[in-house]
Amino acid sequence: MTNKFNPRAKTVADWAYIGIDKHFHKVLKHEAGVLLDQDTEELHQIRVGMRRLRSTLTGFAPALTMPKYADQKRVGNLGRILGELRDLDVLKEAFIGHYQPILPPKEQDLLKKVLQVLESRRQKAFTKVEKLLKSDKFLNFKADFASWLDNPTYQPIGKLDIATVLPDLLLPQASRFLLHEGWLVGVNLEEDQKVREFSSQEIDDLLEKEGLLLHDLRKEAKRSRYNMELFTQFYGDKYQEYLEDIKNLQGILGEMQDCCVLSDFLSQIFPNCLAKEMPTLLEIFQNIRHQKWQEWQPLQKKFLDADTRKSLHETILQPIFRPNSVELGTNPES
């Protein structure tokens, strides 16, 4: 398996191969552990592998010719099925690890009922994943990637030097990120995109109305992060700073969304009396959303600033090529 920097890797095709090889083998590494279903980290890691594999396919798409079951759309479909199970694990971990210990006894007892429902749904989701990993669809996925790695094929652009096209690979995703409508949540365009402070009630109203936009911005941030992490070894500190900002943004918006998902899940179980039955937990969710909103606003202001946007583009346009580059994609995988 080709994981380390290869000094002979000069072309777009070379770097595409390194990324696909690395993340495909990560998926294979955790397949058996997922089927054993004894450690939720196995599922998390195989899902990360799928996401990063898809990101690599997307980022290098102009240079690749992939077989039928090894394209980014099919990888995305497989990842979504794994994601359904992982999302339930995240819910369970949040309820048990973060919230149950700090709730009053009555709400702790009610949460036991919630966890029973959650476990039932998880069993169904695991059955679906188990069926997937034993299916012809997954076997074809593995066979096509293995075949391609044995005999890779590329578009003509794959022959170009990575130095020639690296900004062109990164800028399209950067533009999608910067042009996302979610940046304008709570912004008055008539006041020159001014980011102002909001009351607690205004934050609640905004998240009720525009929460899905912020959730979608979070997904765009994740795609941008994965895309940029493919090439950290070609850039300096400024690039890493922007990458950290995007990672922080992803985390902040993720915690906001997690509170909404947890609350929605509870509402399905207590459709008529959630506020009465679990007021402490709902108040905790509300406080987290308000706190994360305060953390989100400086990043919102920063990425709406014309100088920041110009600087990000200029940073991407000026890669630094160092002969002793480090391992591809060494950032923490989450």
Side-chain angles (χ1 to χ4, degrees):
M1 180 172 64
T2 310
N3 279 345
K4 297 289 183 179
F5 176 82
N6 184 344
R8 293 174 296 178
K10 305 294 185 184
T11 67
V12 178
D14 292 337
W15 285 100
Y17 187 94
I18 290 171
I20 291 170
D21 183 47
K22 176 183 175 71
H23 300 309
F24 172 64
H25 281 90
K26 181 181 181 71
V27 171
L28 297 185
K29 178 181 177 181
H30 295 282
E31 178 188 357
V34 172
L35 288 171
L36 285 174
D37 198 29
Q38 295 177 353
D39 184 353
T40 58
E41 184 64 16
E42 295 287 345
L43 175 64
H44 173 56
Q45 290 302 325
I46 197 173
R47 190 189 186 194
V48 168
M50 281 289 192
R51 281 177 167 173
R52 290 184 178 273
L53 181 58
R54 186 186 184 193
S55 175
T56 303
L57 293 172
T58 302
F60 286 104
L64 296 172
T65 301
M66 302 301 296
K68 179 178 179 180
Y69 291 97
D71 69 358
Q72 54 185 295
K73 182 177 180 180
R74 284 181 171 80
V75 172
N77 290 337
L78 295 174
R80 274 187 286 275
I81 295 173
L82 294 167
E84 291 172 9
L85 179 58
R86 175 60 186 168
D87 289 347
L88 291 172
D89 283 345
V90 170
L91 285 177
K92 182 178 179 180
E93 290 168 7
F95 281 136
I96 294 175
H98 296 155
Y99 302 114
Q100 192 174 44
I102 60 177
L103 292 177
K106 180 182 176 182
E107 291 188 43
Q108 288 191 20
D109 289 340
L110 288 172
L111 201 54
K112 293 176 183 177
K113 177 182 177 181
V114 174
L115 292 171
Q116 289 174 353
V117 175
L118 189 56
E119 185 59 31
S120 176
R121 294 190 183 183
R122 190 194 182 281
Q123 286 299 322
K124 293 178 182 178
F126 177 73
T127 299
K128 190 174 179 180
V129 166
E130 187 177 37
K131 182 178 179 181
L132 170 70
L133 295 183
K134 295 179 179 179
S135 69
D136 289 341
K137 182 186 297 185
F138 195 72
L139 290 174
N140 290 334
F141 155 82
K142 292 192 293 183
D144 273 8
F145 269 104
S147 176
W148 185 88
L149 288 169
D150 284 341
N151 186 27
T153 52
Y154 304 97
Q155 299 285 351
I157 203 170
K159 297 178 181 178
L160 292 177
D161 193 292
I162 190 71
T164 303
V165 299
L166 183 50
D168 300 310
L169 293 175
L170 285 166
L171 285 172
Q173 178 57 44
S175 295
R176 285 190 289 272
F177 173 65
L178 292 173
L179 291 172
H180 196 282
E181 191 177 351
W183 290 113
L184 301 180
V185 171
V187 173
N188 190 333
L189 294 177
E190 295 178 358
E191 296 182 3
D192 195 27
Q193 297 186 6
K194 184 178 180 181
V195 176
R196 67 177 182 85
E197 293 186 5
F198 292 88
S199 68
S200 296
Q201 186 58 55
E202 287 175 323
I203 294 172
D204 291 337
D205 293 342
L206 268 174
L207 293 178
E208 178 69 25
K209 182 180 178 181
E210 308 284 8
L212 289 179
L213 264 182
L214 291 177
H215 177 51
D216 196 63
L217 174 59
R218 179 206 176 204
K219 292 191 287 186
E220 202 65 67
K222 182 176 290 188
R223 284 188 283 267
S224 298
R225 174 191 163 194
Y226 285 179
N227 192 230
M228 290 177 68
E229 283 181 347
L230 290 170
F231 305 111
T232 51
Q233 61 271 51
F234 294 117
Y235 288 95
D237 293 341
K238 193 67 176 176
Y239 183 91
Q240 189 63 42
E241 288 175 14
Y242 282 121
L243 186 54
E244 285 300 312
D245 282 339
I246 294 171
K247 184 178 179 180
N248 289 337
L249 174 74
Q250 178 192 332
I252 291 166
L253 296 182
E255 290 191 57
M256 273 193 212
Q257 177 64 16
D258 287 347
C259 289
C260 294
V261 171
L262 291 165
S263 182
D264 288 345
F265 186 81
L266 292 171
S267 296
Q268 296 172 29
I269 301 172
F270 306 107
N272 301 316
C273 56
L274 178 58
K276 179 180 178 182
E277 297 287 356
M278 307 196 80
T280 306
L281 187 54
L282 290 184
E283 184 179 0
I284 291 171
F285 291 161
Q286 184 181 54
N287 290 338
I288 291 173
R289 288 196 299 269
H290 292 171
Q291 176 189 340
K292 295 304 166 183
W293 178 269
Q294 301 302 325
E295 295 176 18
W296 137 258
Q297 282 200 296
L299 285 168
Q300 180 188 30
K301 183 178 181 179
K302 180 175 183 176
F303 278 97
L304 284 174
D305 181 75
D307 290 338
T308 298
R309 298 161 83 90
K310 180 181 178 181
S311 174
L312 175 56
H313 281 92
E314 289 177 344
T315 299
I316 290 173
L317 285 168
Q318 300 174 54
I320 302 168
F321 294 91
R322 292 169 289 191
N324 296 318
S325 296
V326 297
E327 183 177 345
L328 177 69
T330 55
N331 290 284
E333 301 196 348
S334 60

